[in-house]
Amino acid sequence: MQTSNEDGYELWLCYRRVENDERLAQYRAAINSIVVLSTSATATIIKNELARALPALLDRNVPFADKSVGNALIVGTVDEVARAPLTLTLFPFGEREHTPSPWKGEGWGEGGFSIHSQQIANNSFIVIAANSAPAVLPSVFHFLRLLQTQQDIRTLNIESRPRIRYRILAHWDNLDGSIERGYAGRSLWNWDELPDKIDARYHDYACACASIGINGACLNNVNANAQSLTTEYLEKTAALADVFRPYGIRVYLSPKFTAPVHLGGLSTSDPRDAKVAAWWKQKVAEIYRLIPDFGGFQVKANSEGQPGPQDNGANHDDGANMLAYALAVHGGILLWRAFVYDTSVDADRANCANKEFVPLDGKFHPNVLIQAKNGPIDFQPREPFHPLFGAMPQTPLALELQITQEYFGQSKHLVYLGGMWQEVLHSDTYAQGAGSTVAKIVSAPSNSCIVGVANTGTDRNWCGHHFSQANWYAFGRLAWDYELRADAIADEWIRMMWSNDSDVVDTLKQMMLGSWEACVNYMTPLGLHHLMKEHHHYGPDPGFNNAPRPDWNNVYYHRADANGLGFDRSHTGSNNVAMYHSPLREQFDNIETCPEKYLLWFPDSLTNLIKAA
Ligand code: GCW
C-alpha cells in the first residue's frame, strides 16, 4: 500500500517509493526475498509490516521464502539464526550479548540486536538478529528506517541495544475518556467497549511504540481513580495487555493509594497496617493472574491533593515499599513520583522534593524507582535539571519527560522537544565528579527507567498536529539511545514522515531545531517560569495572583516589582543552589557566572544589578 500519509495516521511508518534511483537499485538488488525465521506471535506482525513496507519502498513485489535462495533479508533471534539451515556465520555481537542478563527475566541485553551484511558465494544476505523475541520487531523497524531515510546498505555492521531498560509512555488518561493535558482528542482506550471490542488502533499504537523501542505503557492518569483496580477494569486492561504483548509492550497502571478503602472496605490505607498490605498483595496477585507480564505501578502520592502515606503519618518509603513488596514477587517495578511540593516543607517549590526524598536515600526496596521530572518545578519551557539527580546515590532514579506540550503551546505551536531532552540528559550533575550526567544516573546498571507523558489521542493524526508526532518519535529514540543527537533524530523523522528531498529536509529541520529556543524566548526567557494562564496553561498571564496558595500564583514566580524581577534561589534567597554539586552551586549562585539562560531562575539577579548600578 502506497499512500501519501496526508492525514498523518501512519506517523513515521509511511513507506513511499525510494526517490533516489541509485539507492532504489541498490535495495532491489539486495532484497530479492525475505526469510522470517521467528515463529513467535511477533512473527506475524513482522511479516505484515515487511509486506506493507518493502513492496511500497522498492515498488515491486518482494516474496517471502522459507529458506534463503538468493540475495535475501533474514530475520530472527540470535538462536533462530544459529539454527537456520543457512551457512551463515554468527557475529561477535550476537555471541557476546547472548549471555544471561544482569537481571532476572528480560534485561536490556535482550533488547539488543545486530544487522549485518554477509556474503556467501555469490549471494549476499542482510541478517537481522535480535537477542530475544520481543527485540526482533524494533530491529526490523531499525532496518526499515535505513531504507526510509535512503542509507547505503551495502555493508551493514550495526549493533544496537537500549541504554535504559524501561522506556514507558505514561498516559494521563481518565476512565471517562478524557485526557488530562491531552490535546489530540479523547483517550485511545475505549474502556466502555473493552474487553470485548478490540479497536484496530490499539495494534497501530503498539506498532508505533515498538518501532521506536518503547516497551511500556502506563494506561491511566496519575491523578488516579480507584476503579481502574476493580476486576472489571483489570479485565479490560488485560485485553489491552494481550494486544500489546507481541509488540514487546508491557502495561502499567497508576493505582489510587486509598484503593484499600474505596474498593476493599478497609478503614485505613495506612501502609504500615497489615490488613492494608495484605489487600495490596492480593490485588497485585489478581493483576498478575490476568496479566502475567504486568509491568508495575506508577504512583502520585501526597501531591496536588492525591492521597498518600503521609495522610496517615507514614512516609514515602513506607508507602512505596509496601507496594513494591507486593510487586516484587511477580517481577514488577514501582515508580514513585517525586513531584511533591508541600510548601510547609519549604516555601520554594524547587526545594521540596529534595528535602522530602534525600533523607530516604537507601531506604527503598530494590524494585522502587523514584521518578523525578526533568526540572524541579513543572515541565516549564526551560528549567535546570532537577537537583534530585545526583542527590540519591543509593536509589535508582527514573526521569520523567512531558511529551504532551502542556506548557509549550499545546498542539497549536510547533515546538520540537528533542533539543531540550538532550540538554537535560547531558547535564552534568557533578555528583561523582565531572561526567556524572543525568543520563548516566538514569541509566545506572540496576533498574533504569525513562517515562514520557504521552501526547496521543483519538485525533486522526494521533497527536493533534503532525509536528507533535516528532516529539513522540524523539522520546522513543532518545529513550533507546540518549547519545543520539536531537538534530539527527529530527532529520530521520522528517525523511520518514515527509520526504528525503533536501529542500524539504533542510527547511523543516531549521523550523524544528529553532523552535524550542524560540518558545523559551517568547514564553519564559532567561529562566522566568510559570507565567501561563492558570488551569489550561495556554498563553501568558503574568499578573495572576488569585490562587488558593501562593505558589500557584504567577507573581510568586517572577516577583516583578519596582526593583527588578526573577526568583532568588541564591544563598540570599531560597538557597536552592546548595542542592546542586560544586561547581554548579557556586556558578548558579553568582550573577557573574550563572548561565544567562538561568539568570531569572537562580541568582538574585536583576535586583542585584539594579542595586549595583
Ligand atoms: O504539570 C502538572 C499538571 C497536572 C499534572 C501534574 C503532575 C497529572 O498541570 O495536570 O497532573 O503536573 O505531573 O502530576
Side-chain angles (χ1 to χ4, degrees):
M1 180 176 62
Q2 188 164 356
T3 70
S4 62
N5 193 28
E6 263 170 28
D7 64 8
Y9 185 82
E10 293 178 4
L11 298 155
W12 48 87
L13 300 178
C14 54
Y15 303 112
R16 289 182 215 91
R17 182 183 193 274
V18 173
E19 295 150 56
N20 178 315
D21 288 342
E22 182 252 308
R23 286 287 192 261
L24 181 62
Q26 188 192 109
Y27 300 166
R28 284 179 169 176
I31 312 169
N32 278 331
S33 64
I34 311 164
V35 182
V36 177
L37 298 166
S38 293
T39 51
S40 66
T42 314
T44 313
I45 296 165
I46 292 171
K47 283 185 177 165
N48 287 343
E49 196 65 17
L50 289 173
R52 191 168 83 86
L54 290 177
L57 287 160
L58 274 53
D59 196 17
R60 72 158 193 208
N61 186 34
V62 187
F64 286 93
D66 290 338
K67 56 184 186 152
S68 96
V69 275
N71 296 351
L73 178 69
I74 318 274
V75 180
T77 63
V78 169
D79 284 343
E80 288 160 345
V81 171
R83 285 198 306 267
L86 306 162
T87 38
L88 296 169
T89 45
L90 258 182
F91 355 91
F93 177 74
E95 284 165 359
R96 193 177 65 240
E97 294 298 317
H98 196 53
T99 52
S101 84
W103 295 285
K104 292 195 190 95
E106 188 205 335
W108 58 13
E110 294 187 15
F113 62 82
S114 63
I115 305 177
H116 280 249
S117 307
Q118 292 200 33
Q119 188 73 33
I120 299 175
N122 288 330
N123 290 323
S124 67
F125 298 94
I126 296 171
V127 184
I128 303 180
N131 284 335
S132 69
V136 184
L137 189 54
S139 64
V140 167
F141 280 112
H142 190 101
F143 177 71
L144 289 175
R145 185 181 306 126
L146 301 178
L147 307 189
Q148 288 173 281
T149 56
Q150 302 188 2
Q151 308 297 305
D152 188 339
I153 62 163
R154 277 172 302 184
T155 340
L156 293 173
N157 191 17
I158 294 169
E159 297 171 354
S160 184
R161 60 184 262 173
R163 291 180 193 270
I164 295 178
R165 183 179 183 192
Y166 301 107
R167 305 172 297 279
I168 301 172
L169 279 191
H171 294 268
W172 287 355
D173 292 18
N174 299 311
L175 302 186
D176 66 3
S178 61
I179 305 179
E180 183 155 350
R181 310 307 175 189
Y183 312 105
R186 309 271 298 164
S187 171
L188 289 170
W189 330 130
N190 195 328
W191 295 108
D192 291 341
E193 294 181 344
L194 285 163
D196 301 325
K197 191 170 167 224
I198 300 298
D199 192 330
R201 199 158 183 174
Y202 302 150
H203 287 273
D204 295 339
Y205 163 85
C207 200
C209 286
S211 76
I212 46 177
I214 287 169
N215 64 0
C218 187
L219 302 181
N220 65 318
N221 192 352
V222 287
N223 290 332
N225 182 334
Q227 207 183 358
S228 68
L229 293 180
T230 58
T231 303
E232 184 194 354
Y233 271 79
L234 290 177
E235 283 168 354
K236 295 168 189 281
T237 298
L240 285 173
D242 290 344
V243 173
F244 296 167
R245 190 165 296 115
Y247 296 88
I249 292 159
R250 294 181 177 199
V251 299
Y252 296 73
L253 287 174
S254 285
K256 185 114 186 151
F257 199 74
T258 41
V261 173
H262 297 301
L263 305 181
L266 301 187
S267 57
T268 178
S269 296
D270 189 330
R272 298 162 301 183
D273 187 308
K275 285 196 289 301
V276 172
W279 186 87
W280 280 109
K281 200 172 156 205
Q282 220 176 13
K283 184 48 76 180
V284 168
E286 181 190 357
I287 296 176
Y288 278 92
R289 272 197 302 280
L290 291 165
I291 310 167
D293 58 350
F294 181 68
F297 288 148
Q298 179 195 215
V299 185
K300 174 174 178 177
N302 292 120
S303 163
E304 297 187 329
Q306 289 303 302
Q310 293 175 341
D311 301 339
N312 300 102
N315 209 344
H316 293 293
D317 54 329
D318 301 310
N321 288 340
M322 184 262 304
L323 291 175
Y325 187 74
L327 289 161
V329 279
H330 306 282
I333 59 164
L334 182 78
L335 299 165
W336 190 267
R337 296 176 90 227
F339 181 60
V340 293
Y341 57 101
D342 174 353
T343 40
S344 69
V345 170
D346 193 293
D348 181 2
R349 186 164 155 177
N351 288 344
C352 292
N354 281 51
K355 281 206 170 162
E356 288 205 34
F357 280 93
V358 173
L360 304 179
D361 191 22
K363 293 194 175 168
F364 292 98
H365 203 284
N367 62 332
V368 177
L369 293 104
I370 300 300
Q371 178 177 314
K373 294 185 178 182
N374 54 283
I377 297 292
D378 191 5
F379 295 139
Q380 297 298 293
R382 169 136 46 214
E383 298 193 36
F385 70 85
H386 199 307
L388 209 53
F389 295 108
M392 295 185 71
Q394 299 178 69
T395 309
L397 297 183
L399 171 63
E400 180 174 341
L401 303 170
Q402 195 184 42
I403 308 169
T404 191
Q405 293 170 227
E406 176 180 357
Y407 293 98
F408 290 82
Q410 300 166 7
S411 53
K412 296 189 177 67
H413 296 206
L414 188 169
V415 188
Y416 172 59
L417 299 174
M420 179 174 92
W421 298 334
Q422 183 180 297
E423 179 181 284
V424 175
L425 285 159
H426 291 278
S427 291
D428 197 342
T429 69
Y430 293 93
Q432 315 278 326
S436 314
T437 60
V438 171
K440 277 199 186 145
I441 289 164
V442 169
S443 60
S446 54
N447 279 341
S448 56
C449 178
I450 186 163
V451 175
V453 180
N455 63 351
T456 49
T458 50
D459 277 7
R460 182 69 190 160
N461 69 1
W462 301 88
C463 300
H465 192 294
H466 286 21
F467 273 90
S468 302
Q469 297 176 0
N471 290 329
W472 179 9
Y473 182 84
F475 170 77
R477 297 288 285 139
L478 281 171
W480 181 274
D481 184 359
Y482 51 72
E483 294 294 351
L484 292 174
R485 294 191 48 82
D487 55 349
I489 295 172
D491 190 281
E492 62 187 31
W493 178 78
I494 295 166
R495 289 174 189 278
M496 295 165 81
M497 174 73 193
W498 300 102
S499 167
N500 278 279
D501 178 275
S502 59
D503 283 347
V504 175
V505 174
D506 293 347
T507 309
L508 295 187
K509 204 155 56 168
Q510 208 184 350
M511 283 163 58
M512 287 170 70
L513 295 182
S515 61
W516 168 49
E517 205 61 46
C519 174
V520 169
N521 289 336
Y522 66 70
M523 287 200 194
T524 61
L526 302 174
L528 279 176
H529 51 289
H530 214 293
L531 305 178
M532 289 77 176
K533 185 89 180 155
E534 65 154 343
H535 297 314
H536 57 59
H537 296 162
Y538 183 86
D541 189 8
F544 178 62
N545 198 19
N546 279 331
R549 40 188 279 186
D551 63 314
W552 286 356
N553 283 319
N554 293 346
V555 297
Y556 166 91
Y557 290 96
H558 60 66
R559 305 191 165 219
D561 62 18
N563 294 322
L565 79 164
F567 203 109
D568 181 4
R569 295 195 168 94
S570 72
H571 71 280
T572 61
S574 76
N575 206 22
N576 174 253
V577 292
M579 291 182 173
Y580 291 88
H581 293 273
S582 289
L584 294 180
R585 65 166 65 135
E586 294 80 12
Q587 200 185 80
F588 293 159
D589 200 26
N590 183 344
I591 192 167
E592 300 299 333
T593 53
C594 181
E596 190 178 277
K597 60 188 178 185
Y598 303 137
L599 207 55
L600 301 180
W601 185 286
F602 284 119
D604 185 15
S605 48
L606 289 199
T607 311
N608 279 349
L609 271 186
I610 289 164
K611 277 185 198 146

